[in-house]
């Protein structure tokens, strides 16, 4: 599991560690890791041109000490000081001793243009609000520079705790972060600014409960349902799909396509698209009665392509089993009914749907995804999966938010969300919790999208077809035949 912790938690851990270590030891650990990463990127340090963008806090201190290390190995290092009289004194002295030089903000543009490597030490976890004008100008230089850009701890200008970006922010090729990932490094739009992220262990002791979690292959493998020898289809769980309409039969077909690959023992379909579903997937149990009379299921998916069929949504929400609500169903579901349910609910909006439910603009949701997903989960008393390039899953009672980054922009294709809801519903029927089902489905769906696209456009049915490959991949080659 990859985890991320808020600035407040990092500060607390830092204080307790600092009290036990000689002064400056933590910064030396950070600078050593940073310099090693820079050296690796440069390949040849000797003779390279390195420019440090140095703010007035410890983030600048890290950059200066790392710059000193590179200068000792023969790099030509120049530090651009944002606030010469408030620069980290020890770091500045170390750079000077190592033969590095100092420049003012006015010289930054030319220096950055000629640099091989730019180190962004403008601001780290101490940054407050959008960058001030001078800092913003330096950050903007990184966007046009041809040099390799390495951000110290965080790309300056991004919000560490939320992943929000207000105004100019550094665009890095690599971010070297210390002690733990910060939430912003894993959530868009900030994540896009970070480039790849390298974590340097500086010995911080962090609490068990993180602010953010990102599942990795091994975590997904441990959560995937595996049939026992004596399993029959009913024990493996039946997922009910109440989706599609005369106008949108395809949504039903795609939700069933996802559900068939999600580990449930059987898929029951209810709705007006039964013949389209059975033509494509003859293994589906098709019912022409409403959800309440269709037969027992262990979880329901309602909403994809539902049009204005509020009655079906209301009927499904009455069921005493986990329910996934997606697409049209989100608009049709009554909030108080969802809040009053005793079995868990999983809602799966994209940013536009989330915006409509929250009564804000789509841009607001996209700019502040973490806030939006937490707010929706709290308002509906439901687990919410907010789709996007970094999908987030939040439980209503708080706790770590799951973030998924396996997605690809190719997944933004019609019907891809229907496949995801079928897949997640199937995992719910296989008795995963709403949070696990949502995050495992997002993980597999993202991987499947990558396999299906493989650098070229793919349709939603291709994504569904690639789910078994993603599943096998997550489980690992050794256990594939189990
Ligand atoms: N937390 C830790 O455990 C460690 C932290 N270290 C470094 O220390 C950093 C935190 O240092 P600080 O607390 O000194 O804070 P920062 O250096 O991140 O930022 C504070 C400085 O930036 C200025 N500033 C704040 N907001 C600004 C804005 N919007 N525009 C322009 N300037 C702004 C402030 O005036 C202040 O001087 C970390 O990010 C990391 O790089 C490392 O040295 C090692 C260990
Ligand atoms: K930085």
């Amino acid at each position: 599991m990859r985890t991320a912790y808020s600035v407040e938690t990092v500060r607390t851990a830092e204080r307790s560690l600092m009290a036990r270590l000689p002064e400056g030891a933590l910064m030396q650990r950070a600078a050593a890791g940073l310099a090693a990463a820079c050296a690796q990127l440069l390949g040849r340090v000797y003779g390279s041109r390195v420019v440090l963008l140095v703010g007035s806090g410890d983030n600048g201190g890290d950059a200066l000490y790392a710059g000193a290390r590179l200068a000792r190995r023969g790099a030509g290092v120049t530090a651009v000081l944002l606030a010469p009289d408030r620069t980290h004194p020890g770091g500045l002295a170390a750079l000077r001793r190592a033969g590095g030089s100092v420049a003012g903000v006015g010289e930054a543009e030319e220096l950055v243009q000629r640099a091989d490597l730019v180190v962004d030490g403008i601001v780290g976890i101490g940054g407050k609000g959008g960058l001030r004008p001078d800092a913003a100008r330096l950050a903007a230089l990184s966007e046009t520079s041809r040099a390799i850009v390495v951000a110290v701890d965080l790309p300056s200008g991004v919000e560490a705790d939320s992943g929000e970006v207000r105004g100019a922010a550094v665009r890095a090729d690599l971010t070297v972060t210390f002690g733990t990932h910060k939430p912003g490094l894993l959530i868009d739009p900030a994540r896009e600014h970070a480039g790849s992220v390298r974590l340097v262990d500086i010995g911080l002791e962090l609490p068990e409960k993180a602010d953010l979690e990102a599942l990795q292959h091994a975590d997904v493998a441990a959560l995937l349902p595996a049939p026992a020898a004596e399993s029959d289809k009913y024990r493996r769980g039946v997922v009910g799909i109440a989706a599609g309409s005369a106008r949108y039969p395809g949504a039903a077909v795609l939700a069933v396509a996802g559900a068939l690959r999600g580990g449930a023992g059987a898929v029951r379909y209810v709705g007006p698209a039964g013949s389209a579903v059975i033509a494509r997937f003859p293994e589906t149990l098709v019912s022409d009665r409403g959800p309440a009379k269709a037969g027992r299921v262990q979880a329901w998916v309602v909403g994809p392509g539902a049009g204005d069929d509020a009655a079906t949504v209301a009927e499904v929400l009455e069921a005493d089993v986990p329910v996934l609500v997606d697409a049209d169903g989100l608009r049709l579901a009554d909030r108080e009914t969802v809040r009053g349910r005793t079995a868990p609910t999983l809602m799966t909006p994209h940013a536009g749907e989330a915006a409509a439910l929250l009564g804000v603009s789509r841009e607001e949701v996209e700019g502040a995804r973490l806030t939006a997903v937490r707010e929706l989960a709290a308002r509906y008393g439901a687990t919410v999966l907010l789709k996007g390039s970094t999908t987030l899953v939040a439980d209503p009672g708080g706790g770590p938010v799951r973030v998924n980054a396996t997605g690809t922009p190719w997944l933004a294709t019609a019907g891809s969300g229907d496949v995801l809801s079928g897949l997640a519903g199937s995992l719910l029927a296989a008795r995963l919790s709403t949070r696990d089902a949502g995050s495992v489905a997002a993980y597999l769906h993202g991987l499947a999208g990558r396999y299906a696209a493989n650098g070229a456009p793919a349709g939603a049915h291709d994504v569904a077809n690639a789910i078994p490959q993603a599943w096998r991949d997550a489980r690992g080659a050794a256990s594939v035949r189990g």
Side-chain angles (χ1 to χ4, degrees), residues 11 123-129 131 154 158-160:
R11 294 283 197 201
V123 70
I125 58 174
K128 301 262 181 306
L131 290 179
L154 288 167
V158 313
E159 298 279 325

Side-chain angles (χ1 to χ4, degrees), residues 453-477:
N454 199 10
H461 64 281
D462 297 316
V463 178
N465 287 339
I467 293 171
Q469 191 188 344
W471 187 296
R472 281 190 286 273
D473 209 26
R475 279 193 70 190

Side-chain angles (χ1 to χ4, degrees), residues 59 120-124 151-156:
N59 196 251
D120 155 35
I122 302 173
V123 70
V152 183
D153 211 14
L154 288 167
S156 301

Side-chain angles (χ1 to χ4, degrees), residues 45 62 114 124-125 128 174 202 368-369 411 419 461 466 470:
V45 176
D62 294 341
R114 283 189 283 120
I125 58 174
K128 301 262 181 306
L174 173 73
I202 56 168
R369 303 176 57 78
L411 274 174
V419 173
H461 64 281

Side-chain angles (χ1 to χ4, degrees), residues 277-330:
V277 167
I278 206 95
R280 185 73 187 267
F281 299 113
E283 61 270 57
T284 317
L285 311 168
V286 170
S287 164
D288 52 9
R289 297 159 160 216
K293 296 202 181 113
R296 185 90 189 130
V297 298
Q298 277 67 48
W300 277 108
V301 172
V302 69
D308 290 321
D309 186 2
T312 299
V313 175
E315 198 174 322
V316 167
L317 288 175
E318 272 173 31
D320 191 26
V321 295
V323 170
L324 182 151
V325 187
D326 186 31
D328 292 326
L330 294 164

Side-chain angles (χ1 to χ4, degrees), residues 30-52:
L34 174 61
C38 292
Q40 200 178 23
L41 282 178
L42 281 168
R44 188 178 152 85
V45 176
Y46 188 87
S48 63
R49 283 163 301 194
V50 176
V51 172
L52 315 173

Side-chain angles (χ1 to χ4, degrees), residues 50-77:
V50 176
V51 172
L52 315 173
L53 307 178
V54 179
S56 49
D58 284 357
N59 196 251
D62 294 341
L64 288 164
Y65 278 116
R69 285 170 186 260
L70 295 171
R72 284 203 294 273
R73 291 178 59 180
V77 182

